Amino acid sequence: MNLTVKIALAVLVAVLLYAVVGAWVHFKVLMPNFIAIEQDTARRDVRRVVESFKRELRQQEPTTLDWAHWDPMYTFVAGQNDTFLAENLNVNTFQATHLDAIQIYDKNQRLIWGKLLNRDTTTLTDWSIFPDGALPPPFHHAHSENLVAGIILDPIGPLFVSSAPIIRTDKSGPANGTLVMVRRIDRDMIESLNKQTEVQFDILLPAPHGDEAQFQAGLERLRQRSVVLDVITDDTIHGYAQLLDLFDQTSVVFRTTTTRQISQQGVRTIETSATLLVAASIAALLILVIVVQRAVILPLKRLTDHVGRLVDHIDPDSLATSIDAQRRDEIGLLARQFADTVGQLALSRQQLEQARDDALNASRAKSDFLANMSHEIRTPMNAILGLSHLVLKTELTQRQRDHIDKIQGSGQHLLGIINDILDFSKIEAGQLAVETTEFTLSQVLDTVANLLITKSSAKGITLIFDVDPNVPNHLIGDPLRLKQILINYLNNAIKFTEQGEIQLRVQVKGGNEQQIVLYFAVTDTGIGLTEEQIERLFQSFSQADTSTTRRFGGTGLGLAISKRLAELMGGGVGVDSRYGVGSTFWFTACLRRHRLEPSTEPTEREWRGRRIVVVEDFSEKDPLPMATDKPGTATGEWLSLQGIRATTP
């Protein structure tokens, strides 16, 4: 992923994050405002409907007062003149005043005249709003100018009712009766009020005039507040309000229907804003990518190309010209600094190449010197060892033999050092290789044991070889190098062990039909190693302790050579140690299996049940154990572990 894509992705993520945050702000901050405005509008619609009803009722009041405060009406109540009725209270009067019923009561609140207009037949019929023909208490006027107006729920439906005392035109009394004027609240009135208020509403009435369930549901919503809003759908809000009748009972529940245009417009505005924002952000992203591509990416790409060509020894002067070093911005500054750095790197590279060549030449000369000197020294050293060996076979005095023995031992030690130096020089020169030849593991181990048994016996150390029965005896590999590692490990174990035993274990760690991986481990009971000492092992000219060379001798090359030999044989090396307890040095080697006919050597089954003789120099204080459960020497315990019953003659 190049820098352009990374910048584009970063900007795109920022744009998307900004869009998400913007949408969240719109829906969590702006939308509540839109909804609040919408709900305020719905409440105003409800109040407007209620006010329109009250206004419609108030429009009936002047007509009621005009007819009640009129001398001919006052005279009619007193004398009940039929001419007055025919001339003034006819169908035309009802139609002109938009009334549906008129009732006249005397001063004893008894009905003396009452008519209801049938709009279908335009005829007047006898009718009383009160079944018993007597005015209820709300219509008992306390004084002459009193006016009662409100709603009454009658069997014919909800009614606007207005009432006033009948007095003279000059408003002098006493009241001679009561005038009641009635107007129906019907569908025509509701449609008229819908047009006036521009609010869609309907009224909910109790049974038998309407749906009792809807009426009761409206009342339930209005228990706590006078105006209640109910969000029905995403497009509609219902508002509820009520009007009490003249008996303080709920007679009418209004239900308004307000479309949610404000919130819908808000959603459309937010969606449009988000779309424009995303489009503008994408356009800005494209512009930014183009600008970054031209102003940053291309110069950096040229700079990267020149970095890749540094191996071709670019001239720093031409480099400064070709990578925009003349620009007066950060890219130009970077190019100039890069050109200076390249110049310094070129000089440093020349110096490093010269130093490398010198070091290689010196190393080659050292390796050649070591190889030549090793050969030059080993030739006379072999002569010294051979002649001293021949001298030891002649008749010598005890003192002369002692001197020759020391010469022989020192020569052998010096020859070992020379061999180590020669092997190390071959390793550094890359000339050390392993051979591939047929050999038997038992013969290798016998040779190692014969070489080291004298040295271990001289220190009173028991040397144990434990070979797993699954380890094949016939193998293909380099027995000389295998023997060299084993001798080095065992020599070190004998050198650093004062008492106890040293055990060589050989086990199978893996392999297949063609190859096998053998695990060799030398465990001693010597001085052990600390963690810091273990870290310095297997390095050239390095020993665990600086005092080791003075105390035990050695060049510090044995473990390094052993490590390289093990690696050449496809294995590795390692050490496990506890300070003051002992150490286990191990290595692995990958060898080839040898396809031979069945071995003529006795197998474990053939040996089972036979008697063998184990000869060891035991003292009277340390006899060979008679049974496996008795403590004894290391040899006796080892025999017991192998399932061999140990007895003494």
Side-chain angles (χ1 to χ4, degrees), residues 462 464 500-501 614 616-619 621-627 630-641 646:
T462 302
I464 301 173
E501 65 181 26
V614 178
E616 187 173 358
D617 185 13
F618 297 103
S619 64
K621 296 181 180 180
D622 188 20
L624 187 67
M626 297 299 294
K630 296 181 181 180
T633 63
T635 302
E637 293 177 355
W638 180 83
L639 290 174
S640 300
L641 291 175

mmCIF file of all heavy atoms in Angstrom, residues 462 464 500-501 614 616-619 621-627 630-641 646:
data_model
loop_
_atom_site.group_PDB
_atom_site.id
_atom_site.type_symbol
_atom_site.label_atom_id
_atom_site.label_comp_id
_atom_site.label_asym_id
_atom_site.label_seq_id
_atom_site.Cartn_x
_atom_site.Cartn_y
_atom_site.Cartn_z
ATOM 1 N N THR A 462 34.269 -42.754 37.655
ATOM 2 C CA THR A 462 33.631 -43.843 36.913
ATOM 3 C C THR A 462 33.130 -43.319 35.577
ATOM 4 O O THR A 462 32.429 -42.306 35.511
ATOM 5 C CB THR A 462 32.454 -44.422 37.711
ATOM 6 O OG1 THR A 462 32.932 -44.870 38.976
ATOM 7 C CG2 THR A 462 31.809 -45.577 36.962
ATOM 8 N N ILE A 464 30.809 -44.123 32.369
ATOM 9 C CA ILE A 464 29.682 -44.984 31.983
ATOM 10 C C ILE A 464 29.215 -44.590 30.589
ATOM 11 O O ILE A 464 29.001 -43.408 30.300
ATOM 12 C CB ILE A 464 28.512 -44.846 32.975
ATOM 13 C CG1 ILE A 464 28.957 -45.226 34.387
ATOM 14 C CG2 ILE A 464 27.323 -45.687 32.532
ATOM 15 C CD1 ILE A 464 27.919 -44.960 35.446
ATOM 16 N N GLY A 500 33.135 -38.746 41.602
ATOM 17 C CA GLY A 500 31.812 -39.105 41.125
ATOM 18 C C GLY A 500 31.886 -39.905 39.844
ATOM 19 O O GLY A 500 32.713 -40.812 39.706
ATOM 20 N N GLU A 501 31.055 -39.561 38.860
ATOM 21 C CA GLU A 501 30.986 -40.332 37.635
ATOM 22 C C GLU A 501 30.712 -39.425 36.451
ATOM 23 O O GLU A 501 30.236 -38.290 36.600
ATOM 24 C CB GLU A 501 29.883 -41.390 37.735
ATOM 25 C CG GLU A 501 28.487 -40.790 37.855
ATOM 26 C CD GLU A 501 27.413 -41.838 37.972
ATOM 27 O OE1 GLU A 501 27.717 -42.938 38.440
ATOM 28 O OE2 GLU A 501 26.266 -41.541 37.583
ATOM 29 N N VAL A 614 31.985 -58.537 35.592
ATOM 30 C CA VAL A 614 32.322 -57.113 35.608
ATOM 31 C C VAL A 614 33.458 -56.950 36.588
ATOM 32 O O VAL A 614 33.319 -57.250 37.779
ATOM 33 C CB VAL A 614 31.119 -56.244 36.023
ATOM 34 C CG1 VAL A 614 31.532 -54.792 36.070
ATOM 35 C CG2 VAL A 614 29.968 -56.452 35.050
ATOM 36 N N GLU A 616 36.062 -54.478 38.444
ATOM 37 C CA GLU A 616 36.317 -53.069 38.794
ATOM 38 C C GLU A 616 37.100 -53.061 40.090
ATOM 39 O O GLU A 616 36.961 -53.963 40.932
ATOM 40 C CB GLU A 616 35.008 -52.300 38.949
ATOM 41 C CG GLU A 616 35.245 -50.808 39.131
ATOM 42 C CD GLU A 616 33.955 -50.016 39.105
ATOM 43 O OE1 GLU A 616 32.890 -50.638 38.909
ATOM 44 O OE2 GLU A 616 34.006 -48.804 39.276
ATOM 45 N N ASP A 617 37.899 -52.049 40.244
ATOM 46 C CA ASP A 617 38.750 -51.950 41.422
ATOM 47 C C ASP A 617 37.924 -51.370 42.558
ATOM 48 O O ASP A 617 37.734 -50.154 42.639
ATOM 49 C CB ASP A 617 39.970 -51.075 41.124
ATOM 50 C CG ASP A 617 40.941 -51.055 42.294
ATOM 51 O OD1 ASP A 617 40.778 -51.893 43.187
ATOM 52 O OD2 ASP A 617 41.821 -50.170 42.285
ATOM 53 N N PHE A 618 37.395 -52.213 43.431
ATOM 54 C CA PHE A 618 36.597 -51.768 44.567
ATOM 55 C C PHE A 618 37.419 -51.910 45.829
ATOM 56 O O PHE A 618 38.235 -52.818 45.963
ATOM 57 C CB PHE A 618 35.316 -52.609 44.720
ATOM 58 C CG PHE A 618 34.391 -52.477 43.553
ATOM 59 C CD1 PHE A 618 34.308 -53.490 42.604
ATOM 60 C CD2 PHE A 618 33.619 -51.343 43.403
ATOM 61 C CE1 PHE A 618 33.465 -53.368 41.543
ATOM 62 C CE2 PHE A 618 32.769 -51.240 42.329
ATOM 63 C CZ PHE A 618 32.681 -52.240 41.391
ATOM 64 N N SER A 619 37.157 -51.019 46.742
ATOM 65 C CA SER A 619 37.810 -51.117 48.052
ATOM 66 C C SER A 619 36.891 -51.884 48.988
ATOM 67 O O SER A 619 35.736 -52.160 48.676
ATOM 68 C CB SER A 619 38.094 -49.716 48.610
ATOM 69 O OG SER A 619 36.871 -49.032 48.840
ATOM 70 N N LYS A 621 35.670 -50.744 51.609
ATOM 71 C CA LYS A 621 34.613 -49.848 52.079
ATOM 72 C C LYS A 621 33.558 -49.627 51.016
ATOM 73 O O LYS A 621 32.507 -49.071 51.296
ATOM 74 C CB LYS A 621 35.224 -48.500 52.499
ATOM 75 C CG LYS A 621 36.162 -48.620 53.683
ATOM 76 C CD LYS A 621 36.710 -47.241 54.058
ATOM 77 C CE LYS A 621 37.654 -47.330 55.251
ATOM 78 N NZ LYS A 621 38.178 -46.004 55.628
ATOM 79 N N ASP A 622 33.839 -50.025 49.802
ATOM 80 C CA ASP A 622 32.892 -49.764 48.705
ATOM 81 C C ASP A 622 32.723 -51.030 47.877
ATOM 82 O O ASP A 622 33.165 -51.114 46.744
ATOM 83 C CB ASP A 622 33.412 -48.625 47.828
ATOM 84 C CG ASP A 622 32.368 -48.196 46.817
ATOM 85 O OD1 ASP A 622 31.177 -48.478 47.034
ATOM 86 O OD2 ASP A 622 32.768 -47.570 45.804
ATOM 87 N N PRO A 623 32.147 -52.063 48.423
ATOM 88 C CA PRO A 623 32.014 -53.333 47.686
ATOM 89 C C PRO A 623 30.923 -53.243 46.648
ATOM 90 O O PRO A 623 30.076 -52.368 46.681
ATOM 91 C CB PRO A 623 31.650 -54.329 48.793
ATOM 92 C CG PRO A 623 30.895 -53.496 49.796
ATOM 93 C CD PRO A 623 31.552 -52.143 49.782
ATOM 94 N N LEU A 624 30.955 -54.202 45.708
ATOM 95 C CA LEU A 624 29.903 -54.296 44.697
ATOM 96 C C LEU A 624 28.610 -54.737 45.384
ATOM 97 O O LEU A 624 28.625 -55.665 46.181
ATOM 98 C CB LEU A 624 30.299 -55.331 43.641
ATOM 99 C CG LEU A 624 29.379 -55.425 42.423
ATOM 100 C CD1 LEU A 624 29.476 -54.145 41.617
ATOM 101 C CD2 LEU A 624 29.781 -56.625 41.564
ATOM 102 N N PRO A 625 27.471 -54.055 45.139
ATOM 103 C CA PRO A 625 26.229 -54.382 45.856
ATOM 104 C C PRO A 625 25.741 -55.777 45.492
ATOM 105 O O PRO A 625 25.902 -56.239 44.381
ATOM 106 C CB PRO A 625 25.268 -53.300 45.371
ATOM 107 C CG PRO A 625 25.796 -52.888 44.037
ATOM 108 C CD PRO A 625 27.280 -52.986 44.156
ATOM 109 N N MET A 626 25.131 -56.439 46.473
ATOM 110 C CA MET A 626 24.612 -57.774 46.270
ATOM 111 C C MET A 626 23.194 -57.775 45.715
ATOM 112 O O MET A 626 22.720 -58.758 45.201
ATOM 113 C CB MET A 626 24.624 -58.540 47.610
ATOM 114 C CG MET A 626 26.020 -58.731 48.174
ATOM 115 S SD MET A 626 27.057 -59.693 47.063
ATOM 116 C CE MET A 626 26.213 -61.257 47.125
ATOM 117 N N ALA A 627 22.483 -56.677 45.867
ATOM 118 C CA ALA A 627 21.091 -56.596 45.387
ATOM 119 C C ALA A 627 20.824 -55.179 44.908
ATOM 120 O O ALA A 627 21.527 -54.242 45.274
ATOM 121 C CB ALA A 627 20.116 -56.993 46.491
ATOM 122 N N LYS A 630 20.197 -52.209 47.511
ATOM 123 C CA LYS A 630 21.222 -51.780 48.448
ATOM 124 C C LYS A 630 22.096 -50.727 47.798
ATOM 125 O O LYS A 630 22.421 -50.819 46.612
ATOM 126 C CB LYS A 630 22.082 -52.972 48.871
ATOM 127 C CG LYS A 630 21.293 -54.036 49.639
ATOM 128 C CD LYS A 630 22.205 -55.167 50.042
ATOM 129 C CE LYS A 630 21.439 -56.245 50.797
ATOM 130 N NZ LYS A 630 22.323 -57.359 51.196
ATOM 131 N N PRO A 631 22.491 -49.681 48.552
ATOM 132 C CA PRO A 631 23.373 -48.663 47.963
ATOM 133 C C PRO A 631 24.729 -49.243 47.675
ATOM 134 O O PRO A 631 25.226 -50.116 48.378
ATOM 135 C CB PRO A 631 23.424 -47.589 49.051
ATOM 136 C CG PRO A 631 23.157 -48.324 50.323
ATOM 137 C CD PRO A 631 22.203 -49.428 49.976
ATOM 138 N N GLY A 632 25.367 -48.723 46.615
ATOM 139 C CA GLY A 632 26.691 -49.202 46.264
ATOM 140 C C GLY A 632 27.374 -48.251 45.334
ATOM 141 O O GLY A 632 27.066 -47.077 45.271
ATOM 142 N N THR A 633 28.306 -48.758 44.582
ATOM 143 C CA THR A 633 29.041 -47.911 43.658
ATOM 144 C C THR A 633 28.176 -47.571 42.460
ATOM 145 O O THR A 633 27.120 -48.163 42.230
ATOM 146 C CB THR A 633 30.310 -48.634 43.186
ATOM 147 O OG1 THR A 633 29.900 -49.799 42.477
ATOM 148 C CG2 THR A 633 31.191 -49.008 44.354
ATOM 149 N N ALA A 634 28.661 -46.600 41.657
ATOM 150 C CA ALA A 634 27.919 -46.191 40.471
ATOM 151 C C ALA A 634 27.781 -47.344 39.488
ATOM 152 O O ALA A 634 26.754 -47.507 38.833
ATOM 153 C CB ALA A 634 28.631 -45.014 39.799
ATOM 154 N N THR A 635 28.820 -48.181 39.395
ATOM 155 C CA THR A 635 28.757 -49.305 38.456
ATOM 156 C C THR A 635 27.687 -50.300 38.876
ATOM 157 O O THR A 635 26.889 -50.778 38.060
ATOM 158 C CB THR A 635 30.123 -49.993 38.374
ATOM 159 O OG1 THR A 635 31.103 -49.034 37.977
ATOM 160 C CG2 THR A 635 30.092 -51.138 37.375
ATOM 161 N N GLY A 636 27.643 -50.612 40.152
ATOM 162 C CA GLY A 636 26.632 -51.541 40.638
ATOM 163 C C GLY A 636 25.228 -51.013 40.431
ATOM 164 O O GLY A 636 24.325 -51.748 40.026
ATOM 165 N N GLU A 637 25.025 -49.763 40.725
ATOM 166 C CA GLU A 637 23.704 -49.173 40.528
ATOM 167 C C GLU A 637 23.339 -49.175 39.049
ATOM 168 O O GLU A 637 22.185 -49.402 38.676
ATOM 169 C CB GLU A 637 23.685 -47.758 41.090
ATOM 170 C CG GLU A 637 23.814 -47.739 42.616
ATOM 171 C CD GLU A 637 23.865 -46.337 43.151
ATOM 172 O OE1 GLU A 637 23.896 -45.407 42.326
ATOM 173 O OE2 GLU A 637 23.876 -46.159 44.384
ATOM 174 N N TRP A 638 24.323 -48.892 38.193
ATOM 175 C CA TRP A 638 24.034 -48.879 36.749
ATOM 176 C C TRP A 638 23.645 -50.278 36.268
ATOM 177 O O TRP A 638 22.726 -50.451 35.482
ATOM 178 C CB TRP A 638 25.258 -48.372 36.000
ATOM 179 C CG TRP A 638 25.037 -48.328 34.513
ATOM 180 C CD1 TRP A 638 24.432 -47.347 33.813
ATOM 181 C CD2 TRP A 638 25.436 -49.311 33.556
ATOM 182 N NE1 TRP A 638 24.403 -47.642 32.498
ATOM 183 C CE2 TRP A 638 25.016 -48.857 32.288
ATOM 184 C CE3 TRP A 638 26.094 -50.536 33.638
ATOM 185 C CZ2 TRP A 638 25.241 -49.569 31.121
ATOM 186 C CZ3 TRP A 638 26.320 -51.252 32.487
ATOM 187 C CH2 TRP A 638 25.889 -50.772 31.238
ATOM 188 N N LEU A 639 24.353 -51.296 36.752
ATOM 189 C CA LEU A 639 24.012 -52.666 36.382
ATOM 190 C C LEU A 639 22.607 -53.021 36.840
ATOM 191 O O LEU A 639 21.846 -53.681 36.135
ATOM 192 C CB LEU A 639 25.032 -53.636 36.990
ATOM 193 C CG LEU A 639 26.443 -53.602 36.391
ATOM 194 C CD1 LEU A 639 27.369 -54.499 37.196
ATOM 195 C CD2 LEU A 639 26.420 -54.006 34.929
ATOM 196 N N SER A 640 22.240 -52.519 38.024
ATOM 197 C CA SER A 640 20.895 -52.795 38.532
ATOM 198 C C SER A 640 19.842 -52.147 37.663
ATOM 199 O O SER A 640 18.793 -52.728 37.390
ATOM 200 C CB SER A 640 20.776 -52.300 39.974
ATOM 201 O OG SER A 640 21.713 -52.949 40.799
ATOM 202 N N LEU A 641 20.108 -50.928 37.212
ATOM 203 C CA LEU A 641 19.155 -50.228 36.356
ATOM 204 C C LEU A 641 18.993 -50.942 35.024
ATOM 205 O O LEU A 641 17.943 -50.833 34.374
ATOM 206 C CB LEU A 641 19.606 -48.786 36.130
ATOM 207 C CG LEU A 641 19.531 -47.875 37.361
ATOM 208 C CD1 LEU A 641 20.118 -46.510 37.030
ATOM 209 C CD2 LEU A 641 18.087 -47.717 37.834
ATOM 210 N N ALA A 646 23.589 -58.056 40.265
ATOM 211 C CA ALA A 646 25.015 -57.971 40.584
ATOM 212 C C ALA A 646 25.333 -58.840 41.792
ATOM 213 O O ALA A 646 24.657 -58.784 42.811
ATOM 214 C CB ALA A 646 25.395 -56.525 40.864
#
